[in-house]
Amino acid sequence: MTAKTAISNSKEDYLKAILEAEAEGLSVIPSTLAHWLGVSAPAVTMALKRLKRDAYVEVKKDGIIRLTAKGREAAYRTALRHHLIERMLSEVFDMAWYEIHDEAERLEHAVSEAFEAKLVEKLGRDGVCPHGNAVLPESPSQRRKRGLVPLSEAAEGASYLVTSLYERDPKLLKFLHQLGIGPASPVRVLARNYDETLRLKTSAGEATLGSVAAARVWVRPAPKR
C-alpha cells in the first residue's frame, strides 16, 4: 500500500486520532473526534461516512467508532511517520521540543515509503519522541503500573522528574516550556493550594500551575540522593 495514493490526508488524520484516543483508554465517539481534531460535528459525520464506505472504520449500536484491520494498519503507519519525524527534527536537526509536534503534523503526510524506511533504519521504531511518548501513547493505567503519576496528583514537598507530556496542544507545550517544565526536567511541589493549583520549583524558578495543565504532565519520583 502506498499511503499517498490509497488514502487522503484527512482520512489519515481521523484514523490516527482514533488510534491514539483508543491507546489512551478512551471510547471513541463522534464528539471525541470533534474535540480531538478541532472540527465541527457535521464535519465528523461526513468523514465517518467516507471512512465506513471505504472499510476503515465500523460503528455499531453502542455508537463507539472502531478501526477495522485495514483502518488500524493505515492509522499506525501515519502515527509511526509522525513519531519518526518528531525524532528526526529533535535528534538530527536539534529543533526545540515544544515546536516539533505541529511541524510533524504537517510533514507526516509527505513522507514516502522509501524515506520512512530510511528513518526507521536510522532511528528505529521503539524510541520515545521528544515529549517522552512512544509511537502510540500509553493509557493512564499503563503509566501508573510503571510508577508514574500525573503532576496534578503529585505529593506536596516531593521531587519528581518529568517523563512525558501531552503533545497535541501547542499552546500548552509553549506554556510549560516558559515555566521550566519539559522532558526529563526536575520539578518539586512546594505547595498544593486550596484553589487546586500547584506551587512548583522548576529549572526556571518558582511557578504556579493549574490542575488541568498539571494533569497533562506525567512524572516519576526523583531518585533519592
Side-chain angles (χ1 to χ4, degrees):
M1 179 180 73
T2 56
K4 296 309 294 178
T5 58
I7 184 169
S8 69
N9 292 357
S10 175
K11 287 178 182 176
E12 286 184 336
D13 288 339
Y14 274 91
L15 295 175
K16 179 163 70 86
I18 296 168
L19 185 69
E20 291 178 341
E22 284 181 349
E24 292 194 4
L26 301 178
S27 294
V28 185
I29 58 176
S31 61
T32 308
L33 293 177
H35 174 73
W36 200 280
L37 295 170
V39 296
S40 66
V44 172
T45 300
M46 291 300 297
L48 288 176
K49 285 182 180 179
R50 292 191 292 269
L51 292 170
K52 286 190 289 184
R53 178 198 65 199
D54 296 337
Y56 287 110
V57 304
E58 58 183 11
V59 184
K60 297 186 177 179
K61 291 183 180 180
D62 59 8
I64 296 175
I65 304 161
R66 295 177 175 88
L67 295 168
T68 63
K70 176 184 176 182
R72 191 167 298 278
E73 178 188 359
Y76 181 79
R77 287 285 302 279
T78 306
L80 176 61
R81 293 198 304 268
H82 179 95
H83 175 82
L84 291 169
I85 292 167
E86 285 197 329
R87 291 187 58 200
M88 176 189 72
L89 293 174
S90 174
E91 297 172 30
V92 178
F93 295 104
D94 200 28
M95 189 171 180
W97 64 267
Y98 54 90
E99 297 176 338
I100 283 174
H101 179 78
D102 277 2
E103 194 67 34
E105 287 284 293
R106 289 185 285 270
L107 293 175
E108 67 190 29
H109 302 296
V111 173
S112 68
E113 290 185 0
F115 187 40
E116 178 185 328
K118 287 293 185 182
L119 289 174
V120 171
E121 180 182 333
K122 183 174 181 62
L123 302 171
R125 294 173 179 265
D126 299 327
V128 296
C129 77
H131 311 98
N133 299 309
V135 176
L136 293 181
E138 293 179 293
S139 68
S141 61
Q142 289 173 319
R143 296 178 197 259
R144 291 181 190 279
K145 285 179 181 177
R146 295 201 295 115
L148 311 182
V149 294
L151 183 55
S152 56
E153 298 177 14
E156 186 173 88
S159 296
Y160 298 86
L161 291 177
V162 175
T163 60
S164 63
L165 305 125
Y166 180 82
E167 62 182 270
R168 284 173 295 278
D169 184 344
K171 291 182 179 179
L172 172 65
L173 294 179
K174 290 181 181 178
F175 176 65
L176 293 173
H177 166 67
Q178 291 168 354
L179 297 183
I181 299 172
S185 66
V187 58
R188 182 173 176 80
V189 181
L190 299 177
R192 298 183 60 88
N193 300 318
Y194 180 77
D195 61 359
E196 298 187 353
T197 60
L198 299 177
R199 187 161 60 87
L200 306 171
K201 173 74 173 184
T202 74
S203 58
E206 289 193 16
T208 299
L209 189 65
S211 59
V212 173
R216 300 295 198 182
V217 180
W218 285 82
V219 298
R220 70 167 69 251
K224 295 182 179 179
R225 297 180 179 179

